Amino acid sequence: SQTIHQWPATLVQPVGSPLSLECTVEGTSNPNLYWYRQAAGRGLQLLFYSVGIGQISSEVPQNLSASRPQDRQFILSSKKLLLSDSGFYLCAWGRGTDTQYFGPGTRLTVL
Amino acid sequence: GENVEQHPSTLSVQEGDSAVIKCTYSDSASNYFPWYKQELGKRPQLIIDIRSNVGEKKDQRIAVTLNKTAKHFSLHITETQPEDSAVYFCAGIGGADGLTFGKGTHLIIQP
């Protein structure tokens, strides 16, 4: 069966510091991968999606970037965090444009 | 692209009563509609989905109905229990970038 991992689970970072969040999927190959952000009490904002290695599409302009160095690895990065980057970051995988399955998430607090 | 509207944003029902959450979508070509449940601090979990060749689908106390002509679909929860308290998200296919989510409904089950 498929499993999706995210780390770290929680992170507290100062404004202006860099960020790297990692997501890996097991038990499937060539998945579509997604990064979402969820502000407290809010909905799911799609940040990036990827249909293959090295293929990244961005949904909103921001100071975040994403990379997919391997088939089942998706990384979210920032060079300098802003206060507004705080939130719950969720990685998801799916097949085509169908069901998506979410990872456990990373709770990021920028101080 | 797809636009998904979800109502109400908050729904409070007495334990044992039924709850109904409604969503409308804009893209008549959409053919897949999942529902996710997100408990506080946790990841969204798929609870039920429906495809456009079916008008209704049931799984124990939950059911989803789809009206393609009117472009709306609904989640029905019967005999609500305290563990049904959560935020529920509907979604539709958003094109190449996968699912488009509604803004969520906070369901509160009153004892």
Side-chain angles (χ1 to χ4, degrees):
Chain A
S1 64
Q2 298 83 17
T3 308
I4 180 167
H5 303 278
Q6 285 185 247
W7 63 88
T10 60
L11 191 59
V12 179
Q13 292 284 93
V15 169
S17 63
L19 174 73
S20 182
L21 304 181
E22 188 165 347
C23 170
T24 58
V25 180
E26 296 177 354
T28 187
S29 59
N30 197 31
N32 286 357
L33 296 173
Y34 306 86
W35 277 113
Y36 290 88
R37 177 170 58 202
Q38 189 174 36
R42 304 294 295 275
L44 299 159
Q45 180 187 29
L46 179 63
L47 301 175
F48 301 95
Y49 69 96
S50 172
V51 299
I53 296 174
Q55 300 178 63
I56 308 294
S57 296
S58 174
E59 288 295 299
V60 292
Q62 58 209 316
N63 70 323
L64 299 171
S65 62
S67 62
R68 185 169 177 174
Q70 300 180 44
D71 181 45
R72 288 169 288 180
Q73 184 185 30
F74 206 19
I75 297 172
L76 183 69
S77 303
S78 174
K79 293 182 179 178
K80 288 186 177 182
L81 283 169
L82 306 172
L83 285 174
S84 57
D85 291 324
S86 293
F88 191 38
Y89 287 81
L90 289 155
C91 180
W93 77 272
R95 284 251 168 253
T97 53
D98 212 272
T99 307
Q100 292 181 20
Y101 299 95
F102 288 88
T106 295
R107 193 162 303 280
L108 172 66
T109 303
V110 182
L111 302 175
Chain B
E2 177 70 286
N3 183 45
V4 176
E5 300 282 341
Q6 183 172 348
H7 301 279
S9 57
T10 304
L11 178 60
S12 181
V13 301
Q14 292 292 322
E15 183 178 348
D17 288 350
S18 295
V20 181
I21 302 170
K22 299 180 180 180
C23 290
T24 60
Y25 61 98
S26 60
D27 187 350
S28 56
S30 289
N31 58 7
Y32 176 68
F33 306 94
W35 285 89
Y36 289 82
K37 175 184 180 182
Q38 186 178 26
E39 297 177 350
L40 189 63
K42 297 189 177 180
R43 75 183 89 181
Q45 299 252 2
L46 178 71
I47 56 171
I48 196 168
D49 55 14
I50 192 167
R51 299 187 187 276
S52 60
N53 58 345
V54 175
E56 183 177 8
K57 184 176 178 181
K58 290 183 179 180
D59 183 2
Q60 299 182 338
R61 294 187 298 107
I62 62 174
V64 57
T65 57
L66 171 64
N67 183 326
K68 288 180 61 180
T69 302
K71 291 192 284 187
H72 66 71
F73 57 109
S74 300
L75 177 71
H76 305 254
I77 305 174
T78 59
E79 300 173 14
T80 53
Q81 300 171 4
E83 54 265 36
D84 295 328
S85 292
V87 178
Y88 292 81
F89 292 96
C90 64
I93 294 292
D97 56 350
L99 298 173
T100 296
F101 287 89
K103 293 187 184 297
T105 295
H106 185 193
L107 177 61
I108 302 166
I109 307 301
Q110 302 279 7

